[in-house]
């Protein structure tokens, strides 16, 4: 019901019952009822994703994972082909489904790590990523579905970016073979985003976004329609078709607003603001980006959109010669990430601040993000 025309009604119902669901989880964990607890986590995962309850996903997946053995501890048993999901039938689960549920619960937690790079440096998480890559492979039925499809996070976090396109191709082919409609639309919009980052992949990205959109609209899935249209907007943005990209982002925002997906709306509005600036409607784009920052602060949501908005405003204001304002936005990003950002990101951020120093004629050294030490002292210089 979270994937069709009644999506909004059931999201609101789950939101209303969320405290009761937390109580059910708390009791299942306290009673060491692993089957019941796994069933609840895997059933609630998509609700948590759509309504941006990352803290719940992170906390409850960890609590439930602790009830059983680690399925990604070496040596890892490869996942078999499983067409049914662990939650397709009431608990208790059979042995193979129980193992799969344990794997999937840990994937729910992995997808909720966000951008905490310090956490990713921990030996335990690195070992888990190795175990995930040993357990799963492209084309399995469970890696076409949520949350199994999130095993691609392990590929991303281990730096195996060159494998993403082939992974997505395998997933698309498997979904077609298995006859999975919603899952096909999901992996198509995912592949669209992968190809949007490649200059030679924009045509394929546009085809994937269009096919994904057709399926999601047919199924009545507003979240999926918003993501597919946004993917098409990214393709158009990559081609320099800013006015058309703006139309797509506006349409995607309407779908996301219909769903009540606040964080998705804020991120899409940020993309729209960026495109408006590129299309020479700088006043409207700047105004929208400031509105995103204000709404995110009021609602305490949209963390990804906030950083994106600050960075976009910093670039725009630098080009406009409003250097002090640009510096303020870069400092907000530095404050938000501290030591948790990737080294390359921190380097680019510091480079941007140094560039502002040069523009302003300052000779004072810019400090490395989160360290308080001059940039020239950084080991990543």
């Amino acid at each position: 019901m979270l994937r069709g025309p009644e999506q909004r009604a059931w999201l609101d119902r789950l939101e209303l019952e969320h405290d009761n669901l937390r109580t059910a989880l708390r009791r299942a964990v306290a009673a060491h009822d692993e089957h019941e607890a796994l069933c609840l986590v895997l059933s609630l995962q998509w609700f948590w994703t759509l309504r941006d309850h990352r803290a719940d996903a992170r906390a409850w997946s960890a609590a439930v994972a602790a009830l059983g053995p680690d399925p990604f501890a070496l040596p890892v048993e490869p996942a078999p082909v499983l067409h049914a999901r662990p939650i397709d039938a009431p608990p208790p689960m059979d042995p193979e489904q129980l193992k799969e549920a344990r794997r999937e619960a840990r994937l729910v937690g992995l997808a909720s790590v966000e951008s905490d790079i310090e956490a990713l440096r921990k030996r335990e998480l690195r070992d888990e990523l190795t175990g995930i890559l040993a357990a799963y492979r492209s084309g399995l039925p469970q890696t076409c579905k949520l949350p199994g499809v999130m095993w691609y996070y392990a590929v991303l976090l281990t730096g195996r970016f060159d494998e993403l396109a082939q992974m997505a191709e395998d997933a698309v082919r498997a979904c077609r073979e298995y006859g999975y409609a919603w899952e096909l639309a999901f992996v198509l919009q995912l592949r669209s985003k992968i190809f949007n980052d490649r200059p030679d992949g924009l045509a394929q990205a546009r085809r994937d976004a269009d096919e994904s959109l057709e399926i999601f609209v047919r199924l009545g899935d507003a979240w999926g329609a918003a993501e597919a249209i946004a993917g098409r907007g990214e393709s158009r943005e990559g081609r320099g078709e800013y006015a058309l990209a703006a139309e797509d982002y506006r349409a995607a925002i309407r779908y996301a607003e219909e769903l009540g997906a606040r964080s998705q709306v804020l991120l899409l509005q940020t993309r729209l603001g960026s495109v408006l600036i590129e299309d020479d409607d700088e006043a409207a784009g700047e105004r929208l980006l400031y509105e995103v920052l204000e709404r995110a602060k009021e609602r305490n949501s949209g963390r990804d959109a906030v950083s994106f908005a600050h960075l976009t405003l910093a670039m725009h204001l630098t080009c406009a010669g409003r250097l002090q304002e640009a510096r303020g936005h870069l400092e907000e990003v530095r404050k938000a990430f501290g030591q948790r950002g990737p080294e390359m990101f921190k380097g680019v951020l510091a480079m941007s601040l140094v560039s502002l120093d040069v523009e302003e004629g300052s000779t004072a050294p810019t400090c490395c993000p989160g360290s308080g030490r001059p940039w020239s002292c950084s080991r990543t210089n």
Side-chain angles (χ1 to χ4, degrees):
M1 304 305 287
L2 295 181
R3 302 179 180 186
E6 297 181 50
Q7 193 174 43
R8 175 62 186 268
W10 282 99
L11 282 171
D12 289 345
R13 176 66 182 276
L14 287 168
E15 198 76 69
L16 182 66
E17 299 287 354
H18 202 184
D19 282 342
N20 288 331
L21 292 162
R22 291 185 180 113
T23 299
L25 270 162
R26 193 174 297 113
R27 291 186 60 157
V29 170
H32 293 273
D33 188 342
E34 186 185 11
H35 292 252
E36 182 73 11
L38 284 167
C39 186
L40 282 163
V41 163
L42 298 183
S43 297
L44 286 167
Q45 176 268 324
W46 193 229
F47 160 67
W48 285 333
T49 298
L50 293 180
R51 283 295 170 88
D52 199 28
H53 292 301
R54 298 187 191 185
D56 280 281
R58 188 164 54 247
W60 289 116
S61 62
V64 172
L67 296 177
D70 182 356
F72 298 127
L74 299 176
V76 175
E77 178 184 347
V81 174
L82 294 172
H83 291 278
R85 299 177 302 167
I87 56 173
D88 281 348
M93 306 169 190
D94 67 42
E96 285 297 344
Q97 290 292 1
L98 178 58
K99 292 177 185 177
E100 180 60 26
R102 288 168 176 162
R103 287 188 284 263
E104 292 184 5
R106 288 177 177 268
L107 291 180
V108 172
L110 178 64
S112 306
V113 168
E114 298 179 307
S115 53
D116 192 341
I117 300 302
E118 288 303 309
L120 299 178
R121 292 194 178 108
K122 293 179 179 177
R123 174 65 180 271
E124 296 84 356
L125 186 50
R126 294 203 308 271
D127 289 346
E128 181 167 86
L129 295 175
T130 301
I132 292 170
L133 294 174
Y136 286 119
R137 63 185 185 278
S138 293
L140 288 173
Q142 56 266 49
T143 57
C144 293
K145 303 173 183 178
L146 286 168
V149 70
M150 292 188 294
W151 82 288
Y152 78 86
Y153 275 102
V155 179
L156 282 171
L157 295 173
T158 52
R160 296 163 62 171
F161 304 110
D162 293 341
E163 299 179 27
L164 286 175
Q166 186 58 53
M167 274 182 55
E169 174 61 30
D170 292 341
V172 168
R173 183 173 60 252
C175 286
R176 294 191 195 281
E177 290 176 358
Y178 298 136
Y180 298 157
W182 188 92
E183 290 78 5
L184 174 60
F186 183 93
V187 296
L188 282 169
Q189 62 84 24
L190 184 64
R191 188 170 71 170
S192 174
K193 291 177 173 62
I194 293 171
F195 279 112
N196 273 330
D197 290 332
R198 304 182 178 201
D200 61 347
L202 293 177
Q204 183 63 54
R206 171 66 184 274
R207 288 192 294 272
D208 285 347
D210 285 342
E211 184 179 0
S212 174
L213 177 60
E214 185 277 323
I215 298 171
F216 278 132
V217 169
R218 173 160 44 86
L219 296 175
D221 189 314
W223 173 88
E227 287 296 305
I229 295 173
R232 188 175 67 187
E234 289 180 36
S235 299
R236 286 172 163 169
E237 189 177 347
R239 294 173 180 269
E241 299 170 347
Y242 300 121
L244 291 174
E247 288 182 12
D248 278 339
Y249 291 138
R250 288 189 182 98
I253 288 167
R254 288 193 292 272
Y255 274 111
E257 286 177 334
E258 172 190 328
L259 186 61
R262 293 186 295 271
S263 293
Q264 189 183 26
V265 169
L266 292 171
L267 192 56
L268 290 168
Q269 287 175 331
T270 305
R271 297 207 69 96
L272 175 59
S274 175
V275 164
L276 290 174
I277 290 172
E278 293 289 349
D279 201 33
D280 295 327
D281 195 352
E282 296 180 4
E286 183 179 333
R287 185 168 58 251
L288 181 56
L289 291 170
Y290 278 113
E291 288 175 4
V292 166
L293 293 176
E294 188 60 32
R295 290 170 188 160
K297 184 178 180 180
E298 291 173 357
R299 300 169 181 174
N300 193 27
S301 63
R303 174 176 169 172
D304 295 336
V306 168
S307 296
F308 186 12
H310 278 306
L311 288 171
T312 303
L313 281 166
M315 289 186 288
H316 162 60
L317 294 169
T318 299
C319 293
R322 295 156 60 185
L323 304 184
Q324 283 301 314
E325 292 176 73
R327 182 182 297 279
H329 288 288
L330 290 175
E331 292 291 355
E332 286 295 326
V333 176
R334 180 160 71 171
K335 190 191 308 179
F337 280 89
Q339 284 289 353
R340 298 185 301 105
E343 296 297 337
M344 181 176 291
F345 176 82
K346 290 190 286 186
V348 170
L349 186 58
M351 180 184 68
S352 301
L353 289 164
V354 169
S355 297
L356 287 178
D357 290 340
V358 173
E359 287 289 331
E360 295 174 336
S362 172
T363 58
T366 293
C367 290
C368 302
S371 71
R373 293 179 288 119
W375 177 243
S376 57
C377 298
S378 173
R379 64 182 176 82
T380 58
N381 185 15

